């Protein structure tokens, strides 16, 4: 291995007691490939098995915690106890290769297609449609329904513990329900769940508290909790960097194992609420990095790019699309074979890369999503 890459392979001890063998994480990526009943498919198990082992930690695609939280066709579930055997297969597949397994838990809120939720009853913080789903006006959740969904996140965490996962990642990013409560665009409530930024933070923080309570009650060994967030929204009103700083200040007090930034570009600059003198990642690291580990992500393909990311001070780097293109990325870096790392896909690569059909179709039919070779 090149000496310059050695920082990528330093061990990391998280607050929960979970030990990571290196600083490289597999980012959560939707694969659209689960069975109709919400169980994990054999194709998904093969896909995760192919990419586990080198990275220290695999964050799965998101699972929906409530029956009305399913956000994608082919998403797998954790909304009832019958899902535990399926989840156990996934945890075992990842862990037997030597990576830690983390289940990302989620509710799609207003981004759920009506066809995927009971009676087409799409819900959110308020009756405000999103720009992505402008034709779907969600129903505002009642107080009791909010409390139930918070409890559902806790129950999904209990199932993750029973299934043998090493932790959960709370999906508070990408415009889904947790973010919908935090955003002034999607949350126009005038009760204790909306209005001021303190009230808009109440739901995300309540989910964190419930997840941690369940872990204290049920986990018999170290079990980590991460939180993923999107630092800004394009809408006005919407989340600004200033809003995000306020949320991060509160999350940093929650004894989390990590904060996971959701970005398409690690080096992107802020738009609102912070000066463009630093990248979003640098602002976030400066704000809370001394209190809780930050995972950086966003178009990192080569080991040189990963090392450059670490040089900003963040302790962990997540790699997403590149691990679909190159499942042996970590091993090749460790063995000094970085020149063999592939950074483009060919349309004949599906079987070699062990990619399920629905994900492969999404890749080849989404222009610019993946770099395609000849």
């Amino acid at each position: 291995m090149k000496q310059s890459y050695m920082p990528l392979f330093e061990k990391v001890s998280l607050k929960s007691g979970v030990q990571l063998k290196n600083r490289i994480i597999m980012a959560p990526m939707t694969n659209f490939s689960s069975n109709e009943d919400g169980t994990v498919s054999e194709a998904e198990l093969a896909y995760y098995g192919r990419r586990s082992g080198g990275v220290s930690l695999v964050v799965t695609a998101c699972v929906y915690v409530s029956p009305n939280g399913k956000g994608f066709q082919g998403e797998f579930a954790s909304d009832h106890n019958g899902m535990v055997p399926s989840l156990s297969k996934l945890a075992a597949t990842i862990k037997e290769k030597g990576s830690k397994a983390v289940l990302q838990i989620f509710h799609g809120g207003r981004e759920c297609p009506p066809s995927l939720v009971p009676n087409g009853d799409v819900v959110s913080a308020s009756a405000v449609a999103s720009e992505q789903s402008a034709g779907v006006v969600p129903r505002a959740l009642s107080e009791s329904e909010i409390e139930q969904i918070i409890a559902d996140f806790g129950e999904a965490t209990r199932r993750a513990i029973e299934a043998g996962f090493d932790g959960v990642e709370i999906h508070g990013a990408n415009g889904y329900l947790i973010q919908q409560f935090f955003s002034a665009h999607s949350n126009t409530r005038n009760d204790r769940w909306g209005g001021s930024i303190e009230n808009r933070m109440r739901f995300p923080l309540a989910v964190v508290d419930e997840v941690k309570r369940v872990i204290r009650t049920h986990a018999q060994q170290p079990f980590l909790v991460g939180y993923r967030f999107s630092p800004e929204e394009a809408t006005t009103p919407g989340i600004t960097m200033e809003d995000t700083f306020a949320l991060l200040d509160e999350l940093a007090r929650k004894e989390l194992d990590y904060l996971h930034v959701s970005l398409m570009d690690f080096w992107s600059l802020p738009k609102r609420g912070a000066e463009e003198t630093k990248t979003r990642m640098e602002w976030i690291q400066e704000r809370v990095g001394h209190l809780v580990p930050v995972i950086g992500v966003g178009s990192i393909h080569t080991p040189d790019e990963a090392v450059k990311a670490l040089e900003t001070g963040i302790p962990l780097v997540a790699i997403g699309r590149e691990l679909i293109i190159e499942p042996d990325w970590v091993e090749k870096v460790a063995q000094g074979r970085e020149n063999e790392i592939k950074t483009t896909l060919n349309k004949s690569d599906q079987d070699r890369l062990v990619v399920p059909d629905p994900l492969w179709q999404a890749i080849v039919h989404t222009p610019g999503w993946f770099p395609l070779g000849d």
Side-chain angles (χ1 to χ4, degrees):
M1 185 200 320
K2 278 188 178 179
Q3 187 169 357
S4 60
Y5 299 152
M6 291 180 68
L8 295 170
F9 293 87
E10 294 172 353
K11 296 180 180 179
V12 179
S13 297
L14 300 177
K15 200 162 291 187
S16 62
V18 172
Q19 305 288 316
L20 302 183
K21 64 183 180 181
N22 60 48
R23 297 177 180 271
I24 308 160
I25 311 297
M26 179 172 167
M29 292 177 284
T30 302
N31 58 57
F32 315 105
S33 302
S34 298
N35 297 319
E36 280 295 319
D37 63 358
T39 55
V40 180
S41 67
E42 290 299 318
E44 282 179 296
L45 293 176
Y47 163 81
Y48 279 107
R50 181 68 183 85
R51 286 158 181 82
S52 301
V55 296
S56 62
L57 187 152
V58 172
V59 184
T60 71
C62 56
V63 294
Y64 55 97
V65 303
S66 309
N68 62 0
K70 186 175 182 178
F72 315 98
Q73 190 71 42
E75 181 183 358
F76 66 112
S78 184
D79 62 328
H80 61 87
N81 290 337
M83 291 294 111
V84 172
S86 167
L87 297 172
S88 297
K89 290 181 183 178
L90 179 55
T93 295
I94 295 168
K95 292 172 68 171
E96 70 186 9
K97 296 295 183 69
S99 297
K100 301 294 185 183
V102 168
L103 187 70
Q104 190 186 65
I105 53 178
F106 145 110
H107 191 296
R110 68 181 185 178
E111 299 301 339
C112 294
S115 61
L116 296 185
V117 299
N119 304 313
D121 185 24
V122 177
V123 298
S124 183
S126 301
V128 179
S130 72
E131 292 186 343
Q132 292 76 21
S133 306
V136 179
V137 178
R139 177 178 61 80
L141 289 159
S142 69
E143 173 88 17
S144 62
E145 288 175 316
I146 292 170
E147 297 285 1
Q148 180 59 56
I149 291 174
I150 292 168
D152 290 346
F153 274 96
E155 284 292 278
T157 300
R158 176 183 58 78
R159 294 177 191 117
I161 293 168
E162 292 180 7
F165 280 89
D166 298 293
V168 293
E169 179 175 285
I170 299 167
H171 195 348
N174 300 358
Y176 300 121
L177 184 65
I178 292 177
Q179 183 173 325
Q180 289 162 31
F181 268 89
F182 182 52
S183 170
H185 177 271
S186 43
N187 186 347
T188 60
R189 303 176 73 98
N190 56 15
D191 59 5
R192 70 191 186 104
W193 301 102
S196 67
I197 191 168
E198 291 78 16
N199 282 357
R200 286 185 280 114
M201 285 193 283
R202 193 181 304 276
F203 182 80
L205 297 177
V207 169
V208 172
D209 288 344
E210 175 64 7
V211 166
K212 290 188 71 67
R213 183 195 67 80
V214 168
I215 292 168
R216 288 193 301 271
T217 303
H218 293 281
Q220 302 298 311
Q221 56 192 18
F223 191 88
L224 69 83
V225 185
Y227 186 101
R228 197 168 204 216
F229 67 96
S230 296
E232 291 189 83
E233 288 180 324
T235 54
T236 302
I239 297 170
T240 67
M241 289 298 294
E242 188 175 14
D243 294 332
T244 290
F245 293 153
L247 176 62
L248 295 181
D249 289 345
E250 294 302 316
L251 289 171
R253 298 186 177 100
K254 297 293 183 182
E255 298 289 309
L256 295 170
D257 287 278
Y258 64 75
L259 294 170
H260 190 174
V261 190
S262 181
L263 289 173
M264 288 298 291
D265 178 8
F266 183 98
W267 302 103
S268 63
L269 297 174
K271 303 297 186 187
R272 297 179 296 172
E275 295 180 4
E276 294 186 12
T277 53
K278 299 175 187 172
T279 65
R280 290 162 166 152
M281 283 300 317
E282 287 169 327
W283 277 114
I284 290 162
Q285 174 65 19
E286 180 180 285
R287 185 80 179 204
V288 295
H290 59 295
L291 300 172
V292 57
V294 176
I295 298 178
V297 69
S299 300
I300 293 171
H301 300 287
T302 68
D304 288 321
E305 290 170 344
V307 169
K308 184 181 177 184
L310 287 184
E311 288 171 351
T312 65
I314 64 157
L316 297 164
V317 175
I319 299 176
R321 288 169 291 171
E322 178 58 26
L323 281 177
I324 295 179
I325 298 170
E326 180 53 89
D328 299 317
W329 193 96
V330 178
E331 291 87 343
K332 287 183 177 180
V333 177
Q335 295 163 10
R337 299 163 55 208
E338 62 276 358
N339 292 336
E340 299 177 24
I341 290 175
K342 298 182 185 302
T343 55
T344 60
L345 279 174
N346 294 319
K347 292 186 177 180
S348 60
D349 283 343
Q350 181 184 2
D351 291 343
R352 179 178 65 81
L353 296 176
V354 193
V355 177
D357 285 338
L359 175 57
W360 189 255
Q361 293 305 312
I363 289 170
V364 298
H365 292 112
T366 306
W369 192 21
F370 276 75
L372 295 175
D374 295 326

